[in-house]
Amino acid sequence: MTASISSNGFKAGSKPRPLLRISLGFLVIALVLGLLGDFEITTLDPWIEIERMVAGIITPDFSATEDLWSAVVNTVAFAILGVALGNAMGFPLALAFQFRAVRILCAFIRSVHELFWALIFLQVFGLTPLTGVLAIAIPYAGIFAKVYSEILEESDPAPLQTLPKGTSSISTFMFVRMPDAWAHFKTYALYRLECGLRSSAVLGFVGLPTIGFHLESAFSQGRYSEVTALLIIFYVIIATIRKWVHARLIPLYIILALLVIPWTGELATSNLVRFFTYDILPHPLRVAETFDMGTLSALGAWLSIMWNEQALPGIIATIILTQVALVGSGALTLLFFPLISPKFFNTFGRTTGHIFLVVLRSTPEYVLALIFLLLWGPSMLPAAVALALHNGAIIGHLIGRYTEDMDLRPDSPKGLNLYAYDVLPRLYPQFLAFLFYRWEVIMRETAILGILGIATLGFYIDSAFADLRFDRAMFLIIVTAILNIGIDTLSRYIRGRLRLRTTADVV
Amino acid sequence: MNFVKTLATAALIASLSAPAFAETFTFTAIPDQDDSALKARFGKIANYLTKELGVEVKYIPVKSYSAAVTAFRNNQVQLAWFGGLSGVRARNLVKGSQAIAQGAEDKAFKTYFIAHTSTGLKKSSSFPKSMAGKTFTFGSKGSTSGRLMPEFHIRKNFKKKPKNVFSRVGFSGDHSRTIALVQSGAFQIGAVNFAVWDKELKTGKIDTSKVSIIWTTPDYPDYNWSIRGDADKRYGGGFIGKVKKALLNMNDPNLLKQFPRNSFIAASNDDYAPIVSVGKEIGLLE
């Protein structure tokens, strides 16, 4: 790997800038896929529904939702416990991230969307809090491991180069790498808690008692006043997160969360055993009396149908949607991040920017996509735009925050010049790192947009769960995981190449 | 020390395996329209059943048919108000379970095919084959009226899978949403539960100059109350009969409107044979 990086890497004196080249490469790929893919606008009359939505937006109804406050409390509690547990599991994994097996394990567990983890745990633990907490904690452990290891990797290498020979690796880690990375860890963990809140809300879509439970029903049935009230509460929770989350308060929150969650339901090991030894076995194996040639050929037929009719078309649709949404997210990020950056706007401007980004990133993609579906008709377009807005707002928020720690020269330019000639070039590596990290997340999120009739892998997985065909679900989840690991490897490779260049820039 | 350990282990095992002292009887239900305020609405049903059955009855809300089936299979609920297809799936997974009642309306349920006016499609008594090539949305993937039956008729008439008949096939996830999507023209055609359409038409939510019914499916059996076969063993002999009687005797309109049904009538597993054969034919049941 290392050898190929250096041999394929950027030779000294090679003119085209690698960051630009890679960005343009992705842009071209997205444009080509956009032309090949299923993007169209069909003319419609959405106005009846849009009118109802607008009427709902201006008349939020906070009394419409049953058990509203318990849904709010559950949303926060599931998020805190899920993220805390994910953090606790992810940190040690990050330190062992140089091992390929750890990387593959982490890539696997985070490649499965929280909703699908929840659907798996529903089979095993039923509708219990454990299902909700684990559905967040498991994929998040994989994400924490990856990002923490990357923060360590991407941190400023200058102090490392000043170390005397023979410094122990523990000292290096504790006194050189950690202090530098710690602030980033904290920022990231806080950001993850925000993601956890979003995940927790969305888990309501499959039946956990969080905000999403009511949001999905209200939105499906056009009760837009209720939708607005639920979203407003959710926006407030997200927007104030920095006010109520402090490192010192976290243990208290964890205890409170443990107390308020309704720990009901009995756990039956028989469900666990049944799921893993029977439910997920391919159908031909389940019904076979003996394992013989007949079973084997039936299994072959099952695999070939699954591959040709679901996995392969699913992979193609997933990749097209992902690549278009990725580039869209990147473009929007660059547009969005100055909105919350003190380098560009005063307090008032930034507050407006924050509200705008909170609304975009906290509205579930599913809701955004449905609104665009009404406007433009069914195709990949509503899905791609929803994903791009959502992810652009998320990365824009992260990058905007990142600029807070950026020191400017006293004589730095202002406005557009500052943006184009100072800030953007300096944060571009970080921007690409976040974007490439988000790559696989976007791929995962394509899952919940099957409603638009876009047959991504997630669409087929969802169908398999709806049909209670766990064997198919598991097969497709494994295919998705492999695809994700592929994306992860590619992303790691690209970032490896880019890092060479950024390191050189620093030196 | 060892003794304490053994005791603790024993207590743990006992607490995990022993049934609770007062056995609670739990059920779930998803109405085919308006699933707001589920706990308050079905709490009333739970109170009624508690009174009739003499055991504590609890309601837990679920989000989807597949979640209801899973809860039934895992014995988290012992009784459930299922759709036709989800009922068959649940009873296939839990040996000995039986359909005991259905709504009076469920004996002859229907699906409407609805179309946006711009398609030019008009109401017809024969299957509208001119839908081919248009965009089409089902309801939720596991719905009998929004998925199973419309897909069956599409396959029967076109001899093709829906995705090969239409230019695009979506799953709206909800009957009300299907109506909204076709009314806005986002999808040209949709399949919707007749009762939901009739209700929304009555409440003025549908603009018939934008969307109208183009075809009605033949009748089929739909929603049903199904109970686990081990309920007699767990709650005492004759318990299933008592539950059935309590459901059939439910005549308070305030309770019935939660489903919403006019009354409940007796049903059996055999009543759902048409659903089984249709489900197998289009590959939604093994």
Side-chain angles (χ1 to χ4, degrees), chain A residues 38 44-45 52 66 213 216-217 219 221 274 279 378 451 462 469, chain B residues 35 38-40 63 73-74 116 141 168 177 185-186 205 210 283:
Chain A
D38 170 24
L44 318 150
D45 45 337
R52 283 181 192 156
E66 173 177 55
F213 189 99
E216 201 265 348
S217 294
F219 194 81
Q221 288 153 22
R274 184 196 66 206
D279 285 355
I451 179 178
D462 178 59
R469 285 172 161 153
Chain B
D35 55 6
L38 287 174
K39 276 195 197 159
K63 197 76 204 163
R73 183 191 194 192
N74 288 351
H116 190 262
K141 287 171 183 166
R168 195 184 298 281
R177 179 123 310 255
K205 279 183 149 174
K210 300 261 191 269

PDB file of all heavy atoms in Angstrom, chain A residues 38 44-45 52 66 213 216-217 219 221 274 279 378 451 462 469, chain B residues 35 38-40 63 73-74 116 141 168 177 185-186 205 210 283:
ATOM      1  N   ASP A  38     -31.071   8.563 -13.175  1.00  0.00           N
ATOM      2  CA  ASP A  38     -32.484   8.776 -13.342  1.00  0.00           C
ATOM      3  C   ASP A  38     -32.858  10.120 -12.710  1.00  0.00           C
ATOM      4  O   ASP A  38     -33.314  10.175 -11.580  1.00  0.00           O
ATOM      5  CB  ASP A  38     -33.147   7.575 -12.653  1.00  0.00           C
ATOM      6  CG  ASP A  38     -34.618   7.710 -12.494  1.00  0.00           C
ATOM      7  OD1 ASP A  38     -35.218   8.464 -13.262  1.00  0.00           O
ATOM      8  OD2 ASP A  38     -35.163   7.047 -11.604  1.00  0.00           O
ATOM      9  N   LEU A  44     -46.305  19.094 -12.469  1.00  0.00           N
ATOM     10  CA  LEU A  44     -47.321  18.586 -11.546  1.00  0.00           C
ATOM     11  C   LEU A  44     -48.154  19.723 -11.019  1.00  0.00           C
ATOM     12  O   LEU A  44     -47.903  20.870 -11.321  1.00  0.00           O
ATOM     13  CB  LEU A  44     -46.612  17.969 -10.336  1.00  0.00           C
ATOM     14  CG  LEU A  44     -45.399  17.148 -10.619  1.00  0.00           C
ATOM     15  CD1 LEU A  44     -44.454  17.217  -9.471  1.00  0.00           C
ATOM     16  CD2 LEU A  44     -45.818  15.744 -10.885  1.00  0.00           C
ATOM     17  N   ASP A  45     -49.125  19.400 -10.163  1.00  0.00           N
ATOM     18  CA  ASP A  45     -49.694  20.487  -9.381  1.00  0.00           C
ATOM     19  C   ASP A  45     -49.627  20.202  -7.889  1.00  0.00           C
ATOM     20  O   ASP A  45     -50.521  19.614  -7.316  1.00  0.00           O
ATOM     21  CB  ASP A  45     -51.088  20.904  -9.828  1.00  0.00           C
ATOM     22  CG  ASP A  45     -52.018  19.752 -10.098  1.00  0.00           C
ATOM     23  OD1 ASP A  45     -51.504  18.648 -10.359  1.00  0.00           O
ATOM     24  OD2 ASP A  45     -53.204  19.928 -10.033  1.00  0.00           O
ATOM     25  N   ARG A  52     -51.188  23.319   2.272  1.00  0.00           N
ATOM     26  CA  ARG A  52     -51.423  22.679   3.578  1.00  0.00           C
ATOM     27  C   ARG A  52     -50.163  22.721   4.437  1.00  0.00           C
ATOM     28  O   ARG A  52     -50.226  22.921   5.645  1.00  0.00           O
ATOM     29  CB  ARG A  52     -51.856  21.228   3.390  1.00  0.00           C
ATOM     30  CG  ARG A  52     -53.295  21.129   2.962  1.00  0.00           C
ATOM     31  CD  ARG A  52     -53.713  19.671   2.813  1.00  0.00           C
ATOM     32  NE  ARG A  52     -55.005  19.634   2.132  1.00  0.00           N
ATOM     33  CZ  ARG A  52     -55.457  18.607   1.437  1.00  0.00           C
ATOM     34  NH1 ARG A  52     -54.743  17.504   1.344  1.00  0.00           N
ATOM     35  NH2 ARG A  52     -56.627  18.667   0.851  1.00  0.00           N
ATOM     36  N   GLU A  66     -49.480  13.003  21.303  1.00  0.00           N
ATOM     37  CA  GLU A  66     -49.658  12.274  22.545  1.00  0.00           C
ATOM     38  C   GLU A  66     -48.283  11.979  23.163  1.00  0.00           C
ATOM     39  O   GLU A  66     -47.350  11.623  22.465  1.00  0.00           O
ATOM     40  CB  GLU A  66     -50.360  10.962  22.189  1.00  0.00           C
ATOM     41  CG  GLU A  66     -50.489  10.000  23.322  1.00  0.00           C
ATOM     42  CD  GLU A  66     -51.257   8.760  22.869  1.00  0.00           C
ATOM     43  OE1 GLU A  66     -50.844   8.142  21.872  1.00  0.00           O
ATOM     44  OE2 GLU A  66     -52.259   8.430  23.505  1.00  0.00           O
ATOM     45  N   PHE A 213     -41.302   8.737  15.911  1.00  0.00           N
ATOM     46  CA  PHE A 213     -42.519   7.922  15.929  1.00  0.00           C
ATOM     47  C   PHE A 213     -43.720   8.775  15.528  1.00  0.00           C
ATOM     48  O   PHE A 213     -44.511   8.415  14.666  1.00  0.00           O
ATOM     49  CB  PHE A 213     -42.727   7.351  17.335  1.00  0.00           C
ATOM     50  CG  PHE A 213     -43.826   6.319  17.428  1.00  0.00           C
ATOM     51  CD1 PHE A 213     -43.523   4.969  17.434  1.00  0.00           C
ATOM     52  CD2 PHE A 213     -45.162   6.693  17.509  1.00  0.00           C
ATOM     53  CE1 PHE A 213     -44.527   4.008  17.518  1.00  0.00           C
ATOM     54  CE2 PHE A 213     -46.175   5.747  17.584  1.00  0.00           C
ATOM     55  CZ  PHE A 213     -45.855   4.398  17.583  1.00  0.00           C
ATOM     56  N   GLU A 216     -43.238  10.796  11.876  1.00  0.00           N
ATOM     57  CA  GLU A 216     -43.502  10.023  10.674  1.00  0.00           C
ATOM     58  C   GLU A 216     -45.002   9.907  10.418  1.00  0.00           C
ATOM     59  O   GLU A 216     -45.471  10.106   9.294  1.00  0.00           O
ATOM     60  CB  GLU A 216     -42.849   8.647  10.797  1.00  0.00           C
ATOM     61  CG  GLU A 216     -42.618   7.950   9.489  1.00  0.00           C
ATOM     62  CD  GLU A 216     -43.722   6.993   9.133  1.00  0.00           C
ATOM     63  OE1 GLU A 216     -44.585   6.674  10.010  1.00  0.00           O
ATOM     64  OE2 GLU A 216     -43.779   6.553   7.989  1.00  0.00           O
ATOM     65  N   SER A 217     -45.751   9.593  11.472  1.00  0.00           N
ATOM     66  CA  SER A 217     -47.209   9.476  11.307  1.00  0.00           C
ATOM     67  C   SER A 217     -47.815  10.792  10.877  1.00  0.00           C
ATOM     68  O   SER A 217     -48.612  10.857   9.948  1.00  0.00           O
ATOM     69  CB  SER A 217     -47.872   9.100  12.640  1.00  0.00           C
ATOM     70  OG  SER A 217     -47.486   7.834  13.024  1.00  0.00           O
ATOM     71  N   PHE A 219     -46.459  13.351   9.472  1.00  0.00           N
ATOM     72  CA  PHE A 219     -46.068  13.775   8.131  1.00  0.00           C
ATOM     73  C   PHE A 219     -46.781  12.931   7.075  1.00  0.00           C
ATOM     74  O   PHE A 219     -47.284  13.464   6.085  1.00  0.00           O
ATOM     75  CB  PHE A 219     -44.548  13.689   7.965  1.00  0.00           C
ATOM     76  CG  PHE A 219     -44.072  14.412   6.754  1.00  0.00           C
ATOM     77  CD1 PHE A 219     -43.907  15.783   6.776  1.00  0.00           C
ATOM     78  CD2 PHE A 219     -43.820  13.738   5.577  1.00  0.00           C
ATOM     79  CE1 PHE A 219     -43.499  16.465   5.642  1.00  0.00           C
ATOM     80  CE2 PHE A 219     -43.409  14.406   4.437  1.00  0.00           C
ATOM     81  CZ  PHE A 219     -43.250  15.780   4.476  1.00  0.00           C
ATOM     82  N   GLN A 221     -49.602  11.532   7.232  1.00  0.00           N
ATOM     83  CA  GLN A 221     -51.031  11.772   7.159  1.00  0.00           C
ATOM     84  C   GLN A 221     -51.360  13.251   7.033  1.00  0.00           C
ATOM     85  O   GLN A 221     -52.497  13.662   7.230  1.00  0.00           O
ATOM     86  CB  GLN A 221     -51.710  11.116   8.363  1.00  0.00           C
ATOM     87  CG  GLN A 221     -51.686   9.590   8.195  1.00  0.00           C
ATOM     88  CD  GLN A 221     -51.712   8.828   9.486  1.00  0.00           C
ATOM     89  OE1 GLN A 221     -52.140   9.368  10.494  1.00  0.00           O
ATOM     90  NE2 GLN A 221     -51.254   7.600   9.468  1.00  0.00           N
ATOM     91  N   ARG A 274     -32.622 -17.956  17.786  1.00  0.00           N
ATOM     92  CA  ARG A 274     -33.448 -18.191  16.611  1.00  0.00           C
ATOM     93  C   ARG A 274     -33.030 -17.279  15.450  1.00  0.00           C
ATOM     94  O   ARG A 274     -32.901 -17.710  14.316  1.00  0.00           O
ATOM     95  CB  ARG A 274     -34.911 -17.938  16.965  1.00  0.00           C
ATOM     96  CG  ARG A 274     -35.873 -18.234  15.841  1.00  0.00           C
ATOM     97  CD  ARG A 274     -37.234 -17.617  16.104  1.00  0.00           C
ATOM     98  NE  ARG A 274     -37.143 -16.175  16.085  1.00  0.00           N
ATOM     99  CZ  ARG A 274     -37.982 -15.367  16.731  1.00  0.00           C
ATOM    100  NH1 ARG A 274     -38.948 -15.870  17.467  1.00  0.00           N
ATOM    101  NH2 ARG A 274     -37.837 -14.064  16.663  1.00  0.00           N
ATOM    102  N   ASP A 279     -33.334 -17.630  11.358  1.00  0.00           N
ATOM    103  CA  ASP A 279     -33.954 -16.581  10.545  1.00  0.00           C
ATOM    104  C   ASP A 279     -33.087 -16.087   9.405  1.00  0.00           C
ATOM    105  O   ASP A 279     -33.582 -15.796   8.322  1.00  0.00           O
ATOM    106  CB  ASP A 279     -34.307 -15.374  11.430  1.00  0.00           C
ATOM    107  CG  ASP A 279     -35.526 -15.640  12.292  1.00  0.00           C
ATOM    108  OD1 ASP A 279     -36.143 -16.715  12.120  1.00  0.00           O
ATOM    109  OD2 ASP A 279     -35.863 -14.781  13.117  1.00  0.00           O
ATOM    110  N   PRO A 378     -41.229  11.980  -8.912  1.00  0.00           N
ATOM    111  CA  PRO A 378     -40.296  10.949  -8.471  1.00  0.00           C
ATOM    112  C   PRO A 378     -39.128  10.764  -9.445  1.00  0.00           C
ATOM    113  O   PRO A 378     -39.336  10.606 -10.640  1.00  0.00           O
ATOM    114  CB  PRO A 378     -41.155   9.692  -8.445  1.00  0.00           C
ATOM    115  CG  PRO A 378     -42.225   9.953  -9.444  1.00  0.00           C
ATOM    116  CD  PRO A 378     -42.470  11.426  -9.453  1.00  0.00           C
ATOM    117  N   ILE A 451     -38.682   5.250  -0.703  1.00  0.00           N
ATOM    118  CA  ILE A 451     -40.054   5.685  -0.939  1.00  0.00           C
ATOM    119  C   ILE A 451     -40.202   6.348  -2.299  1.00  0.00           C
ATOM    120  O   ILE A 451     -41.258   6.338  -2.920  1.00  0.00           O
ATOM    121  CB  ILE A 451     -40.482   6.656   0.174  1.00  0.00           C
ATOM    122  CG1 ILE A 451     -41.906   7.130  -0.072  1.00  0.00           C
ATOM    123  CG2 ILE A 451     -39.535   7.832   0.286  1.00  0.00           C
ATOM    124  CD1 ILE A 451     -42.414   8.059   1.001  1.00  0.00           C
ATOM    125  N   ASP A 462     -34.877  -2.725   3.212  1.00  0.00           N
ATOM    126  CA  ASP A 462     -36.126  -2.348   3.861  1.00  0.00           C
ATOM    127  C   ASP A 462     -37.261  -3.270   3.425  1.00  0.00           C
ATOM    128  O   ASP A 462     -38.067  -3.713   4.241  1.00  0.00           O
ATOM    129  CB  ASP A 462     -36.443  -0.890   3.511  1.00  0.00           C
ATOM    130  CG  ASP A 462     -37.756  -0.442   4.098  1.00  0.00           C
ATOM    131  OD1 ASP A 462     -37.879  -0.499   5.339  1.00  0.00           O
ATOM    132  OD2 ASP A 462     -38.664  -0.052   3.348  1.00  0.00           O
ATOM    133  N   ARG A 469     -38.251 -11.235   5.656  1.00  0.00           N
ATOM    134  CA  ARG A 469     -37.314 -12.176   5.052  1.00  0.00           C
ATOM    135  C   ARG A 469     -35.915 -11.776   5.492  1.00  0.00           C
ATOM    136  O   ARG A 469     -35.213 -11.040   4.788  1.00  0.00           O
ATOM    137  CB  ARG A 469     -37.453 -12.129   3.539  1.00  0.00           C
ATOM    138  CG  ARG A 469     -38.698 -12.845   3.090  1.00  0.00           C
ATOM    139  CD  ARG A 469     -38.933 -12.621   1.636  1.00  0.00           C
ATOM    140  NE  ARG A 469     -39.846 -13.641   1.133  1.00  0.00           N
ATOM    141  CZ  ARG A 469     -40.642 -13.447   0.094  1.00  0.00           C
ATOM    142  NH1 ARG A 469     -40.625 -12.307  -0.548  1.00  0.00           N
ATOM    143  NH2 ARG A 469     -41.433 -14.413  -0.311  1.00  0.00           N
TER     144      ARG A 469
ATOM    145  N   ASP B  35     -53.188   7.372  12.613  1.00  0.00           N
ATOM    146  CA  ASP B  35     -52.631   6.691  13.778  1.00  0.00           C
ATOM    147  C   ASP B  35     -52.080   7.686  14.799  1.00  0.00           C
ATOM    148  O   ASP B  35     -51.050   7.457  15.412  1.00  0.00           O
ATOM    149  CB  ASP B  35     -51.599   5.636  13.366  1.00  0.00           C
ATOM    150  CG  ASP B  35     -50.509   6.206  12.498  1.00  0.00           C
ATOM    151  OD1 ASP B  35     -50.485   7.430  12.300  1.00  0.00           O
ATOM    152  OD2 ASP B  35     -49.682   5.416  12.011  1.00  0.00           O
ATOM    153  N   LEU B  38     -52.378   7.101  19.622  1.00  0.00           N
ATOM    154  CA  LEU B  38     -52.666   5.671  19.693  1.00  0.00           C
ATOM    155  C   LEU B  38     -52.909   5.191  21.110  1.00  0.00           C
ATOM    156  O   LEU B  38     -53.812   4.404  21.368  1.00  0.00           O
ATOM    157  CB  LEU B  38     -51.507   4.880  19.088  1.00  0.00           C
ATOM    158  CG  LEU B  38     -51.371   4.932  17.567  1.00  0.00           C
ATOM    159  CD1 LEU B  38     -50.110   4.220  17.130  1.00  0.00           C
ATOM    160  CD2 LEU B  38     -52.586   4.302  16.921  1.00  0.00           C
ATOM    161  N   LYS B  39     -52.075   5.683  22.047  1.00  0.00           N
ATOM    162  CA  LYS B  39     -52.173   5.151  23.417  1.00  0.00           C
ATOM    163  C   LYS B  39     -53.500   5.506  24.050  1.00  0.00           C
ATOM    164  O   LYS B  39     -54.113   4.677  24.713  1.00  0.00           O
ATOM    165  CB  LYS B  39     -51.014   5.684  24.260  1.00  0.00           C
ATOM    166  CG  LYS B  39     -49.749   4.876  24.103  1.00  0.00           C
ATOM    167  CD  LYS B  39     -48.798   5.245  25.217  1.00  0.00           C
ATOM    168  CE  LYS B  39     -47.390   4.815  24.896  1.00  0.00           C
ATOM    169  NZ  LYS B  39     -46.421   5.582  25.678  1.00  0.00           N
ATOM    170  N   ALA B  40     -53.920   6.756  23.863  1.00  0.00           N
ATOM    171  CA  ALA B  40     -55.184   7.171  24.469  1.00  0.00           C
ATOM    172  C   ALA B  40     -56.331   6.386  23.849  1.00  0.00           C
ATOM    173  O   ALA B  40     -57.225   5.884  24.545  1.00  0.00           O
ATOM    174  CB  ALA B  40     -55.390   8.668  24.265  1.00  0.00           C
ATOM    175  N   LYS B  63     -45.261   0.551  14.934  1.00  0.00           N
ATOM    176  CA  LYS B  63     -45.192   1.478  13.821  1.00  0.00           C
ATOM    177  C   LYS B  63     -45.554   0.828  12.496  1.00  0.00           C
ATOM    178  O   LYS B  63     -45.959   1.497  11.576  1.00  0.00           O
ATOM    179  CB  LYS B  63     -43.742   1.994  13.748  1.00  0.00           C
ATOM    180  CG  LYS B  63     -43.555   3.235  12.954  1.00  0.00           C
ATOM    181  CD  LYS B  63     -44.025   4.448  13.699  1.00  0.00           C
ATOM    182  CE  LYS B  63     -44.367   5.543  12.730  1.00  0.00           C
ATOM    183  NZ  LYS B  63     -45.183   6.568  13.321  1.00  0.00           N
ATOM    184  N   ARG B  73     -44.732 -12.613  17.294  1.00  0.00           N
ATOM    185  CA  ARG B  73     -43.877 -13.793  17.236  1.00  0.00           C
ATOM    186  C   ARG B  73     -43.042 -13.927  18.499  1.00  0.00           C
ATOM    187  O   ARG B  73     -42.878 -15.022  19.029  1.00  0.00           O
ATOM    188  CB  ARG B  73     -42.955 -13.648  16.015  1.00  0.00           C
ATOM    189  CG  ARG B  73     -42.062 -14.842  15.791  1.00  0.00           C
ATOM    190  CD  ARG B  73     -41.018 -14.510  14.741  1.00  0.00           C
ATOM    191  NE  ARG B  73     -40.365 -15.719  14.275  1.00  0.00           N
ATOM    192  CZ  ARG B  73     -39.265 -15.707  13.536  1.00  0.00           C
ATOM    193  NH1 ARG B  73     -38.713 -14.558  13.177  1.00  0.00           N
ATOM    194  NH2 ARG B  73     -38.713 -16.831  13.146  1.00  0.00           N
ATOM    195  N   ASN B  74     -42.515 -12.799  18.991  1.00  0.00           N
ATOM    196  CA  ASN B  74     -41.665 -12.838  20.178  1.00  0.00           C
ATOM    197  C   ASN B  74     -42.467 -12.860  21.475  1.00  0.00           C
ATOM    198  O   ASN B  74     -41.901 -12.730  22.547  1.00  0.00           O
ATOM    199  CB  ASN B  74     -40.727 -11.630  20.188  1.00  0.00           C
ATOM    200  CG  ASN B  74     -39.631 -11.738  19.140  1.00  0.00           C
ATOM    201  OD1 ASN B  74     -39.477 -12.786  18.524  1.00  0.00           O
ATOM    202  ND2 ASN B  74     -38.899 -10.661  18.936  1.00  0.00           N
ATOM    203  N   HIS B 116     -54.316  10.604 -11.390  1.00  0.00           N
ATOM    204  CA  HIS B 116     -54.348  12.057 -11.554  1.00  0.00           C
ATOM    205  C   HIS B 116     -55.089  12.367 -12.851  1.00  0.00           C
ATOM    206  O   HIS B 116     -54.982  11.635 -13.831  1.00  0.00           O
ATOM    207  CB  HIS B 116     -52.918  12.608 -11.609  1.00  0.00           C
ATOM    208  CG  HIS B 116     -52.849  14.102 -11.534  1.00  0.00           C
ATOM    209  ND1 HIS B 116     -52.715  14.896 -12.639  1.00  0.00           N
ATOM    210  CD2 HIS B 116     -52.931  14.934 -10.471  1.00  0.00           C
ATOM    211  CE1 HIS B 116     -52.705  16.172 -12.262  1.00  0.00           C
ATOM    212  NE2 HIS B 116     -52.831  16.219 -10.936  1.00  0.00           N
ATOM    213  N   LYS B 141     -45.139  -1.263   2.066  1.00  0.00           N
ATOM    214  CA  LYS B 141     -44.725  -2.506   1.424  1.00  0.00           C
ATOM    215  C   LYS B 141     -45.465  -3.732   1.948  1.00  0.00           C
ATOM    216  O   LYS B 141     -45.642  -4.694   1.237  1.00  0.00           O
ATOM    217  CB  LYS B 141     -43.217  -2.707   1.610  1.00  0.00           C
ATOM    218  CG  LYS B 141     -42.381  -1.772   0.765  1.00  0.00           C
ATOM    219  CD  LYS B 141     -40.908  -1.871   1.143  1.00  0.00           C
ATOM    220  CE  LYS B 141     -40.082  -0.878   0.332  1.00  0.00           C
ATOM    221  NZ  LYS B 141     -38.729  -0.698   0.879  1.00  0.00           N
ATOM    222  N   ARG B 168     -42.312   3.891 -13.381  1.00  0.00           N
ATOM    223  CA  ARG B 168     -41.703   4.053 -12.072  1.00  0.00           C
ATOM    224  C   ARG B 168     -42.657   3.525 -11.022  1.00  0.00           C
ATOM    225  O   ARG B 168     -43.864   3.746 -11.122  1.00  0.00           O
ATOM    226  CB  ARG B 168     -41.423   5.533 -11.814  1.00  0.00           C
ATOM    227  CG  ARG B 168     -40.500   5.810 -10.676  1.00  0.00           C
ATOM    228  CD  ARG B 168     -40.372   7.292 -10.467  1.00  0.00           C
ATOM    229  NE  ARG B 168     -39.799   7.983 -11.613  1.00  0.00           N
ATOM    230  CZ  ARG B 168     -38.504   8.002 -11.892  1.00  0.00           C
ATOM    231  NH1 ARG B 168     -37.655   7.365 -11.138  1.00  0.00           N
ATOM    232  NH2 ARG B 168     -38.065   8.683 -12.933  1.00  0.00           N
ATOM    233  N   ARG B 177     -50.831   9.322   2.351  1.00  0.00           N
ATOM    234  CA  ARG B 177     -49.752   9.870   1.535  1.00  0.00           C
ATOM    235  C   ARG B 177     -49.915   9.480   0.067  1.00  0.00           C
ATOM    236  O   ARG B 177     -49.614  10.248  -0.828  1.00  0.00           O
ATOM    237  CB  ARG B 177     -48.402   9.382   2.081  1.00  0.00           C
ATOM    238  CG  ARG B 177     -47.231   9.867   1.300  1.00  0.00           C
ATOM    239  CD  ARG B 177     -46.220  10.639   2.103  1.00  0.00           C
ATOM    240  NE  ARG B 177     -46.762  11.699   2.905  1.00  0.00           N
ATOM    241  CZ  ARG B 177     -46.673  12.987   2.622  1.00  0.00           C
ATOM    242  NH1 ARG B 177     -46.083  13.386   1.528  1.00  0.00           N
ATOM    243  NH2 ARG B 177     -47.169  13.878   3.431  1.00  0.00           N
ATOM    244  N   GLY B 185     -49.950  14.891  -8.378  1.00  0.00           N
ATOM    245  CA  GLY B 185     -49.387  14.485  -9.655  1.00  0.00           C
ATOM    246  C   GLY B 185     -47.967  13.961  -9.550  1.00  0.00           C
ATOM    247  O   GLY B 185     -47.348  13.637 -10.565  1.00  0.00           O
ATOM    248  N   ALA B 186     -47.426  13.879  -8.344  1.00  0.00           N
ATOM    249  CA  ALA B 186     -46.070  13.359  -8.180  1.00  0.00           C
ATOM    250  C   ALA B 186     -46.011  11.934  -8.730  1.00  0.00           C
ATOM    251  O   ALA B 186     -45.056  11.542  -9.385  1.00  0.00           O
ATOM    252  CB  ALA B 186     -45.648  13.384  -6.723  1.00  0.00           C
ATOM    253  N   LYS B 205     -60.802  16.337   2.026  1.00  0.00           N
ATOM    254  CA  LYS B 205     -59.364  16.447   1.788  1.00  0.00           C
ATOM    255  C   LYS B 205     -59.001  16.138   0.340  1.00  0.00           C
ATOM    256  O   LYS B 205     -57.849  16.282  -0.057  1.00  0.00           O
ATOM    257  CB  LYS B 205     -58.612  15.475   2.697  1.00  0.00           C
ATOM    258  CG  LYS B 205     -58.407  15.994   4.109  1.00  0.00           C
ATOM    259  CD  LYS B 205     -57.603  14.982   4.868  1.00  0.00           C
ATOM    260  CE  LYS B 205     -56.722  15.570   5.927  1.00  0.00           C
ATOM    261  NZ  LYS B 205     -56.095  14.481   6.700  1.00  0.00           N
ATOM    262  N   LYS B 210     -58.762  16.761  -9.425  1.00  0.00           N
ATOM    263  CA  LYS B 210     -57.347  16.414  -9.604  1.00  0.00           C
ATOM    264  C   LYS B 210     -57.123  14.902  -9.600  1.00  0.00           C
ATOM    265  O   LYS B 210     -56.268  14.390 -10.291  1.00  0.00           O
ATOM    266  CB  LYS B 210     -56.523  17.006  -8.448  1.00  0.00           C
ATOM    267  CG  LYS B 210     -56.606  18.516  -8.349  1.00  0.00           C
ATOM    268  CD  LYS B 210     -55.388  19.144  -8.981  1.00  0.00           C
ATOM    269  CE  LYS B 210     -55.318  20.612  -8.676  1.00  0.00           C
ATOM    270  NZ  LYS B 210     -56.017  21.379  -9.747  1.00  0.00           N
ATOM    271  N   GLY B 283     -45.251 -14.073  -4.642  1.00  0.00           N
ATOM    272  CA  GLY B 283     -43.954 -14.218  -3.998  1.00  0.00           C
ATOM    273  C   GLY B 283     -43.764 -13.376  -2.742  1.00  0.00           C
ATOM    274  O   GLY B 283     -42.635 -13.159  -2.309  1.00  0.00           O
TER     275      GLY B 283
END
